[in-house]
Amino acid sequence: MPARPLIDAWAEALYGDRGFYRQSDGPAAHFATAGQGVPGVGELFASAVIALADRLGATHILDVGAGRGEFLSLLHAARPSLRLTGVDVVARPSRLPAAVAWVRSRGGSAMPALPADAQTLIVANEWLDVVPCPIAEWDGVTWRDVLADGALGGELAGPEDAWREQWWPVADPAAGDRVEIGLPRDRAYRDLCSRGALAVLAIDYGHLQGDRPAGGTLIGYRGGVTAIPRFDGSTDVTAHVAMDSLGAGELFTQREAFSRLGIQAPAPSLDLARTAPADYLDGLARRTALAAARDPGGLGGFWWALSCPLAGPGTPPR
Ligand SMILES: C[S@@+](CC[C@H](N)C(=O)[O-])C[C@H]1O[C@@H](n2cnc3c(N)ncnc32)[C@H](O)[C@@H]1O
């Protein structure tokens, strides 16, 4: 029996009936993101997304790939008046605040009807990296599709090969070099942009042309550590996102986003340590969390792909 295309095995591993993301423990059991798992960072991240919504004039935030609603709960705590909706592949999480709406999705590049309107900011944090994509490998002569068992299949062709030529050209490839074809991610991002929302924000780890990783980035996560990616539902399977091919209106790092949105954590005064020690410690903790959120080698290096200029719809980019 011929080996399956890798993209099919990847989709089944994450979103099939026994897929990794359908399991009860949810993504937070396996890795931390800006929206969950790093003390204090989620609250700052929520402030940044709310500041963006305010700047754009959005009154509804729709979180695509919402996990078990961890980030939505933080948004609700920070601004209870905000309309909130989560979308993920599981039934509504039991701990979600009653005011938050929930939509169930099939997963990957498939997206159900979304309650998006002209007041909606769609946010997708670390979603595109788990939208499966084809991978091609240089065999010494040509680019070939990598199959689910790691063997090489047919020669890369059609729109996938055109995408590779345009977005991931390799001047002098060595045998074993890999290219992760971002076309399904581009289409998924553009699909969100076509749903009638005011703006779409996809946040992810990724790369730009001129800085693509030669060996590819496919990796697994399980239980808080990286793992060999397995296509049996036992690990996450993720690859970095080619951010510049998405077609965003503006692309900037999370570090820059926090600065431009005015998210700050001034050093608490030493006087406060005497008069209100708990507030002093809170101030220090917020400062530490902001440093983590803005770390260029960590969360601060994540890319924000915003469908319109940060200054607001209709305003030209800086
Ligand atoms: C890497 S996790 C990120 C979770 C969360 N956004 C966070 O920042 O912690 C990706 C999430 O996207 C969800 N997902 C993948 N494809 C989806 C789709 N088409 N619609 C809704 N959720 C999807 C997965 O089930 C998973 O919960």
Side-chain angles (χ1 to χ4, degrees):
M1 196 173 70
R4 284 202 299 165
L6 180 133
I7 189 171
D8 294 350
W10 188 346
E12 176 75 19
L14 297 190
Y15 310 113
D17 288 346
R18 290 146 47 97
F20 179 80
Y21 281 120
R22 294 207 190 278
Q23 295 162 16
S24 58
D25 42 6
H30 298 284
F31 48 82
T33 65
Q36 48 82 358
V38 189
V41 169
E43 287 79 1
L44 289 169
F45 186 52
S47 311
V49 169
I50 290 172
L52 174 65
D54 289 347
R55 189 173 293 193
L56 299 177
T59 54
H60 174 211
I61 295 179
L62 198 154
D63 185 4
V64 165
R68 299 299 177 267
E70 297 87 351
F71 183 54
L72 287 162
S73 298
L74 292 174
L75 288 170
H76 180 68
R79 175 81 63 85
S81 61
L82 207 50
R83 190 178 149 214
L84 297 169
T85 304
V87 188
D88 213 297
V89 301
V90 290
R92 179 189 176 83
S94 55
R95 273 176 296 173
L96 203 61
V100 179
W102 189 260
V103 175
R104 194 164 183 179
S105 171
R106 289 211 324 267
S109 53
M111 195 53 64
L114 298 176
D117 56 28
Q119 279 74 49
T120 303
L121 168 63
I122 297 180
V123 177
N125 187 47
E126 295 200 36
W127 168 56
L128 289 174
D129 65 275
V130 290
V131 170
C133 68
I135 298 181
E137 185 172 309
W138 183 254
D139 68 357
V141 178
T142 189
W143 293 99
R144 293 196 177 279
D145 265 316
V146 176
L147 302 175
D149 64 0
L152 298 187
E155 195 168 339
L156 194 68
E160 285 75 17
D161 196 44
W163 187 95
R164 180 198 61 75
E165 265 189 39
Q166 181 179 358
W167 291 106
W168 198 320
V170 184
D172 188 15
D177 277 359
R178 284 186 168 195
V179 169
E180 290 151 356
I181 309 293
L183 196 56
R185 282 95 179 266
D186 296 356
R187 288 179 176 149
Y189 179 78
R190 287 171 200 162
D191 177 29
L192 281 189
C193 292
S194 73
R195 300 300 184 107
L198 176 64
V200 174
L201 171 65
I203 304 172
D204 234 303
Y205 41 84
H207 39 70
L208 308 180
Q209 187 141 193
D211 194 24
R212 309 271 191 226
T217 62
L218 191 75
I219 195 152
Y221 279 90
R222 178 162 192 87
V225 290
T226 56
I228 293 170
R230 298 207 182 282
F231 296 97
D232 59 3
S234 66
T235 71
D236 186 18
V237 181
T238 163
H240 288 46
V241 179
M243 298 300 297
D244 45 350
S245 67
L246 297 176
E250 251 202 285
L251 199 55
F252 42 89
T253 64
Q254 183 144 284
R255 183 181 173 82
E256 189 185 350
F258 273 50
S259 299
R260 290 173 68 186
L261 291 165
I263 307 303
Q264 294 173 343
S269 81
L270 280 177
D271 277 352
L272 203 59
R274 257 188 316 101
T275 56
D279 292 350
Y280 178 75
L281 290 177
D282 283 351
L284 284 185
R286 182 177 159 93
R287 211 164 154 71
T288 306
L290 185 61
R294 298 184 71 239
D295 175 7
L299 289 173
F302 276 48
W303 291 99
W304 284 37
L306 183 61
S307 60
C308 65
L310 178 57
T315 319
R318 292 187 320 154

PDB file of all heavy atoms in Angstrom, residues 225-237:
ATOM      1  N   VAL A 225       7.356  19.243  26.680  1.00  0.00           N
ATOM      2  CA  VAL A 225       8.682  19.195  26.037  1.00  0.00           C
ATOM      3  C   VAL A 225       8.532  18.866  24.552  1.00  0.00           C
ATOM      4  O   VAL A 225       7.523  18.296  24.123  1.00  0.00           O
ATOM      5  CB  VAL A 225       9.617  18.138  26.696  1.00  0.00           C
ATOM      6  CG1 VAL A 225      10.033  18.565  28.082  1.00  0.00           C
ATOM      7  CG2 VAL A 225       8.941  16.773  26.753  1.00  0.00           C
ATOM      8  N   THR A 226       9.583  19.200  23.786  1.00  0.00           N
ATOM      9  CA  THR A 226       9.546  18.858  22.372  1.00  0.00           C
ATOM     10  C   THR A 226       9.691  17.346  22.221  1.00  0.00           C
ATOM     11  O   THR A 226      10.269  16.673  23.087  1.00  0.00           O
ATOM     12  CB  THR A 226      10.679  19.570  21.598  1.00  0.00           C
ATOM     13  OG1 THR A 226      11.908  19.233  22.203  1.00  0.00           O
ATOM     14  CG2 THR A 226      10.482  21.068  21.584  1.00  0.00           C
ATOM     15  N   ALA A 227       9.167  16.833  21.128  1.00  0.00           N
ATOM     16  CA  ALA A 227       9.178  15.379  20.900  1.00  0.00           C
ATOM     17  C   ALA A 227       9.287  15.132  19.396  1.00  0.00           C
ATOM     18  O   ALA A 227       9.020  16.032  18.595  1.00  0.00           O
ATOM     19  CB  ALA A 227       7.873  14.775  21.427  1.00  0.00           C
ATOM     20  N   ILE A 228       9.700  13.928  19.045  1.00  0.00           N
ATOM     21  CA  ILE A 228       9.644  13.553  17.631  1.00  0.00           C
ATOM     22  C   ILE A 228       8.173  13.583  17.220  1.00  0.00           C
ATOM     23  O   ILE A 228       7.336  12.995  17.918  1.00  0.00           O
ATOM     24  CB  ILE A 228      10.242  12.148  17.427  1.00  0.00           C
ATOM     25  CG1 ILE A 228      11.737  12.203  17.728  1.00  0.00           C
ATOM     26  CG2 ILE A 228       9.985  11.633  16.018  1.00  0.00           C
ATOM     27  CD1 ILE A 228      12.408  10.855  17.792  1.00  0.00           C
ATOM     28  N   PRO A 229       7.845  14.301  16.128  1.00  0.00           N
ATOM     29  CA  PRO A 229       6.425  14.367  15.760  1.00  0.00           C
ATOM     30  C   PRO A 229       5.909  12.991  15.345  1.00  0.00           C
ATOM     31  O   PRO A 229       6.527  12.321  14.526  1.00  0.00           O
ATOM     32  CB  PRO A 229       6.399  15.346  14.578  1.00  0.00           C
ATOM     33  CG  PRO A 229       7.799  15.442  14.089  1.00  0.00           C
ATOM     34  CD  PRO A 229       8.706  15.052  15.214  1.00  0.00           C
ATOM     35  N   ARG A 230       4.805  12.578  15.934  1.00  0.00           N
ATOM     36  CA  ARG A 230       4.217  11.277  15.590  1.00  0.00           C
ATOM     37  C   ARG A 230       2.836  11.521  15.005  1.00  0.00           C
ATOM     38  O   ARG A 230       2.119  12.406  15.454  1.00  0.00           O
ATOM     39  CB  ARG A 230       4.106  10.407  16.834  1.00  0.00           C
ATOM     40  CG  ARG A 230       5.442  10.101  17.454  1.00  0.00           C
ATOM     41  CD  ARG A 230       5.429   8.787  18.223  1.00  0.00           C
ATOM     42  NE  ARG A 230       6.711   8.535  18.838  1.00  0.00           N
ATOM     43  CZ  ARG A 230       7.781   8.080  18.190  1.00  0.00           C
ATOM     44  NH1 ARG A 230       7.714   7.820  16.897  1.00  0.00           N
ATOM     45  NH2 ARG A 230       8.931   7.896  18.814  1.00  0.00           N
ATOM     46  N   PHE A 231       2.484  10.702  14.031  1.00  0.00           N
ATOM     47  CA  PHE A 231       1.216  10.912  13.329  1.00  0.00           C
ATOM     48  C   PHE A 231       0.145   9.951  13.832  1.00  0.00           C
ATOM     49  O   PHE A 231      -0.663   9.442  13.073  1.00  0.00           O
ATOM     50  CB  PHE A 231       1.440  10.772  11.818  1.00  0.00           C
ATOM     51  CG  PHE A 231       2.364  11.836  11.293  1.00  0.00           C
ATOM     52  CD1 PHE A 231       3.713  11.595  11.119  1.00  0.00           C
ATOM     53  CD2 PHE A 231       1.882  13.113  11.018  1.00  0.00           C
ATOM     54  CE1 PHE A 231       4.573  12.588  10.674  1.00  0.00           C
ATOM     55  CE2 PHE A 231       2.731  14.117  10.567  1.00  0.00           C
ATOM     56  CZ  PHE A 231       4.080  13.857  10.400  1.00  0.00           C
ATOM     57  N   ASP A 232       0.162   9.697  15.144  1.00  0.00           N
ATOM     58  CA  ASP A 232      -0.811   8.769  15.725  1.00  0.00           C
ATOM     59  C   ASP A 232      -1.636   9.426  16.839  1.00  0.00           C
ATOM     60  O   ASP A 232      -2.301   8.746  17.611  1.00  0.00           O
ATOM     61  CB  ASP A 232      -0.077   7.543  16.289  1.00  0.00           C
ATOM     62  CG  ASP A 232       0.951   7.936  17.353  1.00  0.00           C
ATOM     63  OD1 ASP A 232       1.050   9.136  17.678  1.00  0.00           O
ATOM     64  OD2 ASP A 232       1.665   7.050  17.861  1.00  0.00           O
ATOM     65  N   GLY A 233      -1.574  10.762  16.925  1.00  0.00           N
ATOM     66  CA  GLY A 233      -2.361  11.459  17.946  1.00  0.00           C
ATOM     67  C   GLY A 233      -1.654  11.558  19.285  1.00  0.00           C
ATOM     68  O   GLY A 233      -2.184  12.129  20.232  1.00  0.00           O
ATOM     69  N   SER A 234      -0.435  11.029  19.384  1.00  0.00           N
ATOM     70  CA  SER A 234       0.236  11.040  20.692  1.00  0.00           C
ATOM     71  C   SER A 234       1.068  12.307  20.910  1.00  0.00           C
ATOM     72  O   SER A 234       1.485  12.571  22.038  1.00  0.00           O
ATOM     73  CB  SER A 234       1.116   9.800  20.851  1.00  0.00           C
ATOM     74  OG  SER A 234       2.179   9.832  19.927  1.00  0.00           O
ATOM     75  N   THR A 235       1.342  13.073  19.864  1.00  0.00           N
ATOM     76  CA  THR A 235       2.070  14.344  20.040  1.00  0.00           C
ATOM     77  C   THR A 235       1.381  15.427  19.212  1.00  0.00           C
ATOM     78  O   THR A 235       0.671  15.130  18.246  1.00  0.00           O
ATOM     79  CB  THR A 235       3.530  14.275  19.528  1.00  0.00           C
ATOM     80  OG1 THR A 235       3.527  14.214  18.084  1.00  0.00           O
ATOM     81  CG2 THR A 235       4.280  13.083  20.094  1.00  0.00           C
ATOM     82  N   ASP A 236       1.646  16.677  19.606  1.00  0.00           N
ATOM     83  CA  ASP A 236       1.301  17.779  18.706  1.00  0.00           C
ATOM     84  C   ASP A 236       2.215  17.650  17.481  1.00  0.00           C
ATOM     85  O   ASP A 236       3.295  17.045  17.563  1.00  0.00           O
ATOM     86  CB  ASP A 236       1.573  19.107  19.437  1.00  0.00           C
ATOM     87  CG  ASP A 236       1.119  20.313  18.648  1.00  0.00           C
ATOM     88  OD1 ASP A 236       0.305  20.146  17.723  1.00  0.00           O
ATOM     89  OD2 ASP A 236       1.582  21.434  18.944  1.00  0.00           O
ATOM     90  N   VAL A 237       1.803  18.179  16.360  1.00  0.00           N
ATOM     91  CA  VAL A 237       2.660  18.228  15.169  1.00  0.00           C
ATOM     92  C   VAL A 237       2.547  19.651  14.637  1.00  0.00           C
ATOM     93  O   VAL A 237       1.451  20.111  14.312  1.00  0.00           O
ATOM     94  CB  VAL A 237       2.221  17.223  14.088  1.00  0.00           C
ATOM     95  CG1 VAL A 237       3.165  17.292  12.893  1.00  0.00           C
ATOM     96  CG2 VAL A 237       2.168  15.803  14.639  1.00  0.00           C
TER      97      VAL A 237
END
